[in-house]
């Protein structure tokens, strides 16, 4: 391919200047400095891979909750009309029927699930 | 630029490194430091930075050694990896360069010290390569680094040879326009006013 290029163009002044450049010699400490970095890299602990298997139940749970919320919002939005505000949807979802005790219980369950999920991710023996 | 090395030595050292012998990588660095530092130098024209970039390339090579599939030669893999490293390093912190139009044309024959004048003139042409638009700059750098071997330069960039030739022709044409005194650059052979991707060299 080199011959192809040069047979058509000849070796011109640009070639002569750019190809016949002097060679740079690496500094004497280059090899040592590079190997130092390599040794450090080799000695460092390997990065911990993300625990996808452990995270899977949590991801599915969150996706399910978000999907359910989305479904509810769309359903309520259709039944109440386009002008229904988010706050109205919230109320019309009949969640208020849970009452204060229900909300506290739901919050506690959610907190427990978050804690267990975090323990599971960290490799501990959580409740899950 | 040819390294004083043999594929067998590279293969042996890579196998030892993959078997857990860290010090075997020194053999690879020893054999390839000159080509990689010189390649980096052509990308940035700054000795200190060239060594830093070459060191980073070696480190990436160390990390990715298991990814060399041995379908291509070790040198092809290493040069392609180094080109990627140098490209992203220069994107992160670009070389301070001027536009091609601002590169002064070398002084004429009135300069008394011919040798010095030639050195200055050659230096300006080399710096002008770094002022070329990005798509022509790297092909020019790699073509001359690989001793005018289009195929090797194309492999290093991961481009088809035709594209590489077209970019080279365009890059050389831009340089010639900037430095019209430079010899018998045959525009007839390159085709007249080629498009950026037009295949003009056969």
């Amino acid at each position: 391919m080199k011959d192809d290029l040069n047979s058509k163009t000849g070796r011109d002044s640009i070639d002569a200047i750019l190809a016949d450049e002097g060679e740079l010699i690496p500094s004497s400490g280059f090899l040592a400095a590079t190997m130092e970095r390599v040794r450090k890299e080799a000695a460092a602990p390997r990065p911990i891979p993300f625990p996808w298997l452990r995270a899977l139940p949590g991801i599915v749970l969150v996706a399910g909750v978000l999907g359910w919320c989305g479904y509810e919002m769309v359903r309520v939005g259709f039944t109440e009309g386009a002008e229904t505000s988010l706050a109205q949807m919230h109320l019309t979802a009949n969640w208020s029927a849970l009452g204060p005790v229900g909300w506290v219980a739901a919050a506690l369950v959610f907190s427990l699930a978050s804690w267990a999920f975090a323990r599971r991710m960290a490799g501990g023996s959580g409740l899950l | 630029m040819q390294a004083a090395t043999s594929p067998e030595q590279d293969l042996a050292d890579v196998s030892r490194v993959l078997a857990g012998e860290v010090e075997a990588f020194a053999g690879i660095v020893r054999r390839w430091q000159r080509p990689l530092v010189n390649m980096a130098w052509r990308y940035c024209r700054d000795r200190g930075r060239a060594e830093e970039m070459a060191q980073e390339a070696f480190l990436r090579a160390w990390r990715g050694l298991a990814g060399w599939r041995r379908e291509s030669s070790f040198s092809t893999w290493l040069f392609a990896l180094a080109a990627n490293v140098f490209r992203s390093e220069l994107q992160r912190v670009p070389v301070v360069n001027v536009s091609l139009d601002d590169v002064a044309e070398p002084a004429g024959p009135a300069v008394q010290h011919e040798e010095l004048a030639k050195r200055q003139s050659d230096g300006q042409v080399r710096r002008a390569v770094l002022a070329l638009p990005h798509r022509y700059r790297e092909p020019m750098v790699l073509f001359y680094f690989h001793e005018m071997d289009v195929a090797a330069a194309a492999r290093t960039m991961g481009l088809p040879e035709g594209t590489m030739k077209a970019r080279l022709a365009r890059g050389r044409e831009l340089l010639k326009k900037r430095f019209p005194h430079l010899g018998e650059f045959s525009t007839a052979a390159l085709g007249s006013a080629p498009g950026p991707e037009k295949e003009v060299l056969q």
Side-chain angles (χ1 to χ4, degrees):
Chain A
M1 201 51 63
K2 181 183 351 185
D3 293 341
D4 288 349
L5 186 74
N6 292 336
S7 63
K8 289 254 179 181
T9 62
R11 189 180 156 92
D12 59 30
S13 303
I14 291 178
D15 291 336
I17 292 168
L18 296 177
D20 300 339
E21 207 174 331
E23 200 180 341
L24 202 68
I25 299 183
S27 59
S28 55
F30 181 81
L31 173 64
T34 306
M35 282 310 292
E36 187 59 34
R37 283 187 70 185
V38 168
R39 281 185 208 106
K40 262 189 198 164
E41 180 95 3
R46 290 191 172 278
I48 302 167
F50 188 80
W52 285 108
L53 268 181
R54 285 174 177 275
L56 199 61
I59 292 169
V60 170
L61 183 72
V62 169
V65 168
L66 288 177
W68 177 72
C69 287
Y71 170 76
E72 279 297 317
M73 285 176 76
V74 170
R75 189 178 62 82
V76 171
F78 273 125
T79 54
E80 295 296 319
E83 70 281 358
T84 308
S85 70
L86 191 64
Q88 284 170 322
M89 279 192 276
H90 185 74
L91 288 174
T92 51
N94 288 332
W95 291 351
S96 55
L98 284 172
V101 177
W103 279 112
V104 170
L108 282 173
V109 169
F110 185 74
S111 301
L112 185 67
S114 302
W115 173 78
F117 178 65
R119 294 260 305 170
R120 188 178 170 82
M121 290 291 287
S125 53
L127 293 180
L128 287 178
Chain B
M1 182 161 297
Q2 302 300 317
T5 182
S6 73
E8 291 77 24
Q9 284 176 308
D10 291 326
L11 199 60
D13 281 343
V14 169
S15 302
R16 285 168 61 200
V17 171
L18 291 178
E21 199 178 326
V22 178
E23 293 308 314
F25 195 72
I28 294 171
V29 178
R30 192 174 295 113
R31 281 193 298 280
W32 292 99
Q33 58 179 340
R34 260 168 99 143
L36 251 58
V37 167
N38 276 278
M39 185 177 166
W41 158 256
R42 284 173 180 261
Y43 270 79
C44 66
R45 302 267 155 204
D46 176 332
R47 189 193 171 100
R49 190 158 185 212
E51 291 205 351
E52 279 173 21
M53 294 200 309
Q55 206 175 78
E56 185 60 33
F58 276 120
L59 207 63
R60 299 274 183 93
W62 156 262
R63 287 181 198 142
L65 215 50
W68 172 43
R69 299 191 188 285
R70 305 178 194 208
E71 290 156 358
S72 59
S73 69
F74 181 73
S75 61
T76 302
W77 176 79
L78 186 64
F79 284 141
L81 179 145
N84 274 329
V85 171
F86 301 159
R87 200 177 304 130
S88 39
E89 281 291 312
L90 293 177
Q91 273 168 2
R92 200 171 57 82
V93 185
V95 176
V96 179
N97 59 14
V98 291
S99 92
L100 197 56
D101 291 334
D102 295 336
V103 179
E105 196 178 348
V111 178
Q112 287 189 340
H113 304 287
E114 280 185 22
E115 184 59 29
L116 182 64
K118 184 173 181 336
R119 252 197 243 171
Q120 284 178 341
S121 146
D122 290 358
Q124 280 165 338
V125 174
R126 287 169 190 147
R127 279 194 297 277
V129 172
L130 296 187
L132 286 172
H134 177 73
R135 64 193 291 108
Y136 309 122
R137 188 191 317 150
E138 197 172 357
M140 291 285 285
V141 164
L142 290 173
F143 175 63
Y144 290 106
F145 169 73
H146 283 298
E147 298 172 341
M148 299 176 67
D149 185 339
V150 178
R155 278 197 303 273
T156 298
M157 274 197 84
L159 285 178
E161 282 184 32
T163 307
M164 178 60 83
K165 285 182 195 169
R167 290 188 187 183
L168 277 172
R170 183 70 183 141
R172 286 155 56 105
E173 193 186 24
L174 285 171
L175 275 187
K176 176 62 184 168
K177 273 185 192 160
R178 186 66 201 97
F179 301 103
H181 75 287
L182 285 175
E184 69 297 347
F185 184 74
S186 174
T187 45
L190 296 172
S192 53
E197 295 296 331
K198 185 179 166 189
E199 172 113 16
V200 288
L201 296 172
Q202 299 301 319

